[in-house]
Amino acid sequence: TEEEFAIQANYFAIIGIVAIIAGGRYELAVVLPKSKSKAINLIGLATGITAIVSILSLSLLFFYPQIERLYETAELTKYLPYISLGILLTSLVAILTNWLIRQKKYKTISSLKIIQSLAINIITLGFGYLNFGTDGLIFGWIIGQTLALIFLYFSFRKDFDYKLISKKEMGEVAKDYKE
């Protein structure tokens, strides 16, 4: 129904606003450094900031009544616990996609977008057919994003050296790429 799509749109709007800043925008800088070590530490930094922001976004649960009044519906507030997960998934997909851009793996990125779109649409359609309503729209998207993240992880781990991550270098890249 129109109301279900409106709830989904508001859910995505909240995620979209927070996800823009969730990685501190350091995920965009991953493609810039000549040094692989700096790029890896940017990923570590962006992932750490994303984790913190995702956990802090759980504080939205304390504003349940205010959000319910703002949106004039209790239906959206039932999805507040999943906003944190949505922020985490959206940001991690962006971080890993920028790593693939750095690695010039454009075919992999194209495949990812096709898989992601198909998964989200097929799952959402299936849930719709089963009359899951808003649950189907939101959980279909979450499952699709999760599948995209899994696909990205398997592409990402081949070229990524976790041993290069250090707190010291993350601090340095945070200063170097803060703009």
Side-chain angles (χ1 to χ4, degrees):
T1 66
E2 291 172 5
E3 184 177 304
E4 292 167 342
F5 281 113
I7 291 164
Q8 178 197 35
N10 285 318
Y11 174 80
F12 290 149
I14 294 168
I15 289 172
I17 290 166
V18 179
I20 287 172
I21 59 164
R25 304 309 285 158
Y26 287 107
E27 74 276 5
L28 298 174
V30 167
V31 298
L32 300 175
K34 291 180 182 177
S35 159
K36 183 176 182 177
S37 176
K38 284 187 178 189
I40 286 173
N41 279 282
L42 281 165
I43 288 177
L45 178 64
T47 302
I49 294 170
T50 294
I52 291 166
V53 170
S54 295
I55 291 167
L56 289 175
S57 70
L58 288 171
S59 65
L60 286 172
L61 295 173
F62 295 113
F63 300 102
Y64 186 98
Q66 292 84 355
I67 292 171
E68 188 174 331
R69 274 194 307 267
L70 177 69
Y71 286 100
E72 299 176 356
T73 180
E75 187 71 19
L76 178 63
T77 54
K78 110 179 191 186
Y79 300 103
L80 287 179
Y82 305 107
I83 287 176
S84 181
L85 178 60
I87 292 165
L88 182 67
L89 290 170
T90 301
S91 295
L92 289 177
V93 166
I95 292 166
L96 297 184
T97 300
N98 278 302
W99 174 260
L100 292 179
I101 291 170
R102 177 185 173 78
Q103 299 300 107
K104 296 182 169 92
K105 294 193 173 189
Y106 305 116
K107 284 184 182 180
T108 303
I109 295 167
S110 295
S111 298
L112 162 74
K113 295 299 178 187
I114 292 168
I115 290 168
Q116 184 179 24
S117 182
L118 283 173
I120 290 170
N121 288 307
I122 289 170
I123 293 166
T124 302
L125 282 171
F127 283 160
Y129 181 74
L130 297 171
N131 293 318
F132 278 47
T134 307
D135 288 349
L137 293 171
I138 291 176
F139 293 123
W141 178 82
I142 289 172
I143 293 167
Q145 284 290 92
T146 302
L147 291 173
L149 187 59
I150 291 167
F151 177 85
L152 273 168
Y153 174 74
F154 283 109
S155 300
F156 166 83
R157 70 184 180 130
K158 296 173 189 170
D159 302 312
F160 194 81
D161 187 358
Y162 293 94
K163 295 174 193 164
L164 293 176
I165 296 176
S166 75
K167 288 182 183 178
K168 181 182 177 197
E169 191 160 354
M170 279 195 288
E172 290 172 10
V173 295
K175 289 177 192 168
D176 292 345
Y177 293 94
K178 67 183 175 188
E179 295 176 11

